[in-house]
Amino acid sequence: MLLSLNYRFFIMLVVLFAVACAAISTTLVSSFWAEEADISLWGQKSMASFLFAYSAVLGFVLGWFATRLTRAAIRKGKAQPLHWHLKSQTLIDRLPDRTFSRAFMFSLAGCVIAALLVLLLHQIKLQYISVSEGLVLNVIYSMLFAAAITIMGVYRALGDNNMSRTRA
């Protein structure tokens, strides 16, 4: 019963955030590069600057909401806390207890993930990409990014031991 509650909550939140981020990404890419034929990798109105800003903001927002919604679900009995998470001491277990600090760390993680993608695009010598290909790239990236941040946020929030002193 404990696992089924957590898995249902986990999957629901990941799918919800991934679909929402895909919609946001589609809207942003369509509006930013509506007049353009190609998107450059570097420059002021480029894929790199978009990915860094998008990942930093989205990492913070997703980390914030994943933590808050998980804590609220635990209080309402829709999810059960993990009691064994601190034994392994993974990197996720070392995230800060406070919601703002944790969301900030997810924002920094978003910048690192965006840097890895931009570095990969640079290494394959992709300097320009069509808007339609950029849209597909950003939708896939945003869905995978949302899933990763949400999974880390929910897992860490399920292991929070400060539930009695924080609000939902």
Side-chain angles (χ1 to χ4, degrees):
M1 183 69 175
L2 169 72
L3 240 35
S4 66
L5 278 177
N6 287 349
Y7 279 136
R8 271 188 263 149
F9 175 76
F10 212 45
I11 291 169
M12 179 204 59
L13 207 56
V14 168
V15 169
L16 175 72
F17 284 170
V19 169
C21 289
I24 290 168
S25 178
T26 301
T27 304
L28 289 175
V29 169
S30 297
S31 64
F32 285 165
W33 292 290
E35 306 289 323
E36 308 288 328
D38 291 329
I39 304 169
S40 68
L41 181 60
W42 302 107
Q44 186 176 6
K45 194 175 176 183
S46 67
M47 183 66 72
S49 59
F50 174 79
L51 285 172
F52 280 108
Y54 181 77
S55 299
V57 171
L58 198 63
F60 186 88
V61 170
L62 288 175
W64 180 277
F65 281 115
T67 299
R68 302 295 270 192
L69 290 173
T70 303
R71 287 178 180 168
I74 289 171
R75 279 195 188 79
K76 292 177 183 174
K78 294 181 181 177
Q80 298 298 318
L82 299 177
H83 299 290
W84 48 266
H85 79 286
L86 290 176
K87 293 179 183 168
S88 62
Q89 280 299 311
T90 63
L91 189 59
I92 295 171
D93 294 323
R94 294 176 190 212
L95 286 168
D97 286 337
R98 301 267 182 202
T99 306
F100 182 85
S101 301
R102 187 178 301 168
F104 181 75
M105 295 304 290
F106 285 131
S107 179
L108 292 178
C111 290
V112 170
I113 293 169
L116 292 173
L117 179 59
V118 169
L119 180 64
L120 176 67
L121 294 174
H122 181 72
Q123 287 299 316
I124 62 172
K125 298 182 183 356
L126 187 68
Q127 296 302 316
Y128 290 94
I129 187 171
S130 70
V131 174
S132 61
E133 291 171 341
L135 179 65
V136 171
L137 174 71
N138 278 305
V139 166
I140 292 170
Y141 172 77
S142 67
M143 290 180 81
L144 293 174
F145 180 76
I149 296 296
T150 304
I151 289 168
M152 288 187 290
V154 168
Y155 173 77
R156 179 60 179 99
L158 286 172
D160 282 346
N161 58 1
N162 62 346
M163 293 298 295
S164 60
R165 64 180 179 167
T166 61
R167 296 182 321 202

